[in-house]
Amino acid sequence: MLASILVIVLLSLITFRVSSLSYGDSQAIIISQPVVKDLEDHDLAQAAVNSQVVLSFKIRHTGDGEQSYTVLIEVRDADQVTIYLQFQKGTMTGNSEIEIGSSWTPTALGDYEVRSFVISELQQPEILSPIVTSKAVVSFVEARKQVQMPEQNIPQEEPVTPPELDKLRRYALDAINKDREKFGLAPVQLSYNEAAQIHAEDVFETRKISHWMTKGEKPYMTYSRYGGEGNVGQNVAVSGYDEDYQSCKIGIFLCEKTDPYVEMDGSQYSMMYEDEDCCDNGHRDNILDKYHTHVSIGIVYDDYFFALVQNFEDQYIDWTNTIDEEDAHSDIVSMSGQFKNNIDVYTNNDVSFYSVSIYYDPIPTRETYEDNVDELSYGGGEEIAIVVEPAPQDYYYEQPSDYMLVEAEFWRVTDSDFQIIFKTDDLQRQHGDGVYSITVWCQGAQDDYFIASSISLYKD
């Protein structure tokens, strides 16, 4: 919730600063009307309650030279109350066009107005386009599909409403923090990254535990795709009826109905105190990792099945120039940020920059899921490169045999922040299409090392 408040405050300041400016016909940025699409890029006439959609539109730079831009995206309800605000930044070359997409999950029925316009920057904005609007209709369509038995009338159930889901998440968060407190660890905060909920919905559909999504993604890939900028470690738990699920649904068997609070208590206890036999205490170690700062929680259930996903996050970087989708379509990665030292209760977790590694996975597919669905743990991909600072004049690096040293184009690292620019073209020529995860390693106060950020870029 804090992140949403900060965005709203920031955009309120922007509105105040540009209120005296007006858009001129001489500007060279043209923006199309927003289009509501699903996650597979299909246009939607109606959006579904509690189902993520993409607000998509194109911006075209008709002038010469580079142009910095910030796209402001807003959704208003029927009462003209702003319920969603977001912005995206970038730079365009002359005579070019790009497509912008921003994810939004409507939580109530109704007609909504999607609004957007372009300014030059946040600090001293110049309006570059007029405001464009379109209508978004949200109807009651369940986000998860019910499996139908032939010639059987299976009643459809109401999905978990957002207020109830938030209540369940906070209950799960409290259980996690009680266990962390027993071991002298700082509490984690609730994150609203959507990857955990998306993964829980995927598990619910298959009724089978897996760290791989059915489309083949591993947790850090999905986390990045939904805007995650830290590092993530995942726990998954299920309970209820899997093989007998349809028999329970249609009344052939008399089955005990799900109590989500009972299932959460049982899942948390099992992962903490019964985890060694099944998983070598991997779930327990994840819950008790001292460097975790946040957790995003996905919960999906009906009367006969329950799925829980805990995505523990390490958020130690305030990004000033984050790695994003633009870097996936470029040969250059530019990254900069500041470390969050001595904040809140994490006073013993002072961190400093250690290194940047790059890991590789093939493009995920359904076959990837089928090959790995029964794996109890997942790795971070193949380490293919380490980014190093430029060698002094008249010196050079000797390349190792099993990975590549990528010499940075620009390198500035201090105790509190960093700015690094490097090229990826040689890596892509060697490894081809795939998921390249840019991973920032940090050193902790006790000379231990951990991943502060792992952001996956899909290069194809």
Side-chain angles (χ1 to χ4, degrees):
M1 186 61 68
L2 178 59
S4 300
I5 294 171
L6 289 176
V7 171
I8 292 171
V9 171
L10 178 57
L11 291 178
S12 299
L13 292 174
I14 293 170
T15 303
F16 174 78
R17 288 172 180 165
V18 303
S19 60
S20 61
L21 302 177
S22 61
Y23 167 73
D25 294 335
S26 62
Q27 301 293 349
I29 294 291
I30 298 173
I31 183 170
S32 68
Q33 284 190 308
V35 177
V36 181
K37 296 186 175 186
D38 63 19
L39 297 182
E40 297 180 351
D41 203 37
H42 300 130
D43 291 0
L44 294 176
Q46 298 183 63
V49 175
N50 300 325
S51 181
Q52 185 184 33
V53 298
V54 176
L55 308 177
S56 176
F57 44 88
K58 296 179 180 179
I59 59 174
R60 182 154 53 95
H61 177 28
T62 61
D64 298 325
E66 289 191 346
Q67 173 66 60
S68 297
Y69 67 86
T70 299
V71 182
L72 305 181
I73 306 141
E74 176 187 18
V75 178
R76 295 183 179 182
D77 64 15
D79 296 322
Q80 290 296 294
V81 175
T82 298
I83 62 168
Y84 173 86
L85 287 168
Q86 187 56 270
F87 66 88
Q88 293 192 25
K89 300 166 62 178
T91 302
M92 297 183 68
T93 58
N95 296 310
S96 64
E97 181 179 87
I98 62 173
E99 186 170 1
I100 298 291
S102 181
S103 64
W104 170 52
T105 303
T107 58
L109 304 175
D111 294 339
Y112 296 85
E113 182 183 38
V114 183
R115 298 160 54 90
S116 185
F117 69 101
V118 185
I119 61 176
S120 57
E121 59 180 346
L122 297 177
Q123 300 301 321
Q124 295 180 322
E126 174 187 3
I127 297 179
L128 300 180
S129 80
I131 296 175
V132 293
T133 64
S134 66
K135 186 178 181 181
V137 178
V138 178
S139 61
F140 190 76
V141 181
E142 289 194 25
R144 62 176 187 260
K145 301 174 184 176
Q146 299 289 340
V147 180
Q148 299 291 330
M149 292 282 287
E151 300 180 359
Q152 295 287 350
N153 182 21
I154 302 175
Q156 301 294 306
E157 299 174 3
E158 296 285 329
V160 181
T161 60
E164 178 67 11
L165 181 56
D166 188 63
K167 183 178 177 182
L168 291 169
R169 283 173 173 162
R170 293 189 177 280
Y171 185 89
L173 175 70
D174 184 60
I176 291 168
N177 282 331
K178 284 180 179 177
D179 282 327
R180 288 176 64 88
E181 185 180 15
K182 292 176 185 176
F183 291 85
L185 298 171
V188 290
Q189 303 175 46
L190 189 62
S191 163
Y192 288 90
N193 183 280
E194 295 178 71
Q197 186 64 26
I198 298 299
H199 199 117
E201 291 171 3
D202 203 51
V203 169
F204 180 89
E205 289 291 338
T206 62
R207 293 188 295 282
K208 188 174 181 63
I209 281 184
S210 179
H211 289 296
W212 276 258
M213 294 273 286
T214 52
K215 63 173 62 177
E217 287 185 331
K218 288 191 278 189
Y220 53 88
M221 300 176 189
T222 313
Y223 174 70
S224 293
R225 192 160 56 81
Y226 284 92
E229 297 177 343
N231 184 48
V232 66
Q234 186 180 85
N235 287 347
V236 182
V238 300
S239 58
Y241 303 89
D242 45 16
E243 295 180 359
D244 298 326
Y245 179 79
Q246 291 300 327
S247 297
C248 295
K249 293 277 286 186
I250 64 178
I252 294 176
F253 296 158
L254 184 61
C255 304
E256 185 178 354
K257 291 188 176 182
T258 301
D259 182 329
Y261 294 96
V262 171
E263 303 304 333
M264 283 192 292
D265 286 341
S267 296
Q268 182 68 19
Y269 182 87
S270 178
M271 288 188 290
M272 272 293 299
Y273 302 107
E274 300 173 341
D275 196 51
E276 186 173 6
D277 291 339
C278 86
C279 309
D280 197 26
N281 274 337
H283 297 98
R284 177 187 172 94
D285 292 343
N286 203 12
I287 294 169
L288 299 180
D289 190 311
K290 67 178 181 179
Y291 282 113
H292 290 332
T293 61
H294 294 72
V295 63
S296 41
I297 300 171
I299 300 170
V300 182
Y301 70 94
D302 64 4
D303 281 346
Y304 304 110
F305 198 79
F306 173 88
L308 169 69
V309 173
Q310 300 169 337
N311 275 358
F312 288 92
E313 303 176 28
D314 303 336
Q315 297 187 21
Y316 283 93
I317 299 174
D318 279 323
W319 290 94
T320 53
N321 187 15
T322 188
I323 304 166
D324 56 25
E325 188 177 351
E326 286 188 13
D327 295 297
H329 302 294
S330 170
D331 292 335
I332 297 178
V333 172
S334 178
M335 51 189 285
S336 60
Q338 302 177 29
F339 295 112
K340 302 177 182 180
N341 290 348
N342 294 320
I343 60 169
D344 299 331
V345 295
Y346 300 98
T347 53
N348 295 323
N349 284 354
D350 288 356
V351 298
S352 59
F353 176 90
Y354 181 70
S355 68
V356 175
S357 295
I358 302 174
Y359 295 81
Y360 172 83
D361 290 279
I363 294 292
T365 64
R366 176 73 187 201
E367 185 178 3
T368 309
Y369 168 77
E370 292 170 353
D371 289 343
N372 294 279
V373 61
D374 294 322
E375 295 293 331
L376 297 179
S377 61
Y378 62 95
E382 175 191 1
E383 186 176 24
I384 60 171
I386 296 176
V387 182
V388 293
E389 61 183 305
Q393 187 174 0
D394 299 328
Y395 287 81
Y396 67 92
Y397 290 100
E398 289 188 0
Q399 288 290 346
S401 60
D402 52 347
Y403 62 92
M404 183 183 297
L405 295 181
V406 176
E407 193 168 347
E409 302 292 305
F410 180 85
W411 181 283
R412 185 183 62 80
V413 174
T414 72
D415 289 340
S416 60
D417 63 359
F418 62 90
Q419 182 179 5
I420 299 171
I421 301 173
F422 60 93
K423 292 183 177 180
T424 59
D425 48 351
D426 287 343
L427 284 173
Q428 194 166 3
R429 274 193 293 270
Q430 180 174 336
H431 295 277
D433 295 346
V435 181
Y436 292 77
S437 297
I438 315 300
T439 303
V440 180
W441 285 86
C442 286
Q443 183 173 358
Q446 285 138 9
D447 290 333
D448 47 358
Y449 302 93
F450 69 100
I451 297 175
S453 176
S454 181
I455 300 178
S456 297
L457 300 178
Y458 286 69
K459 287 183 172 287
D460 51 21

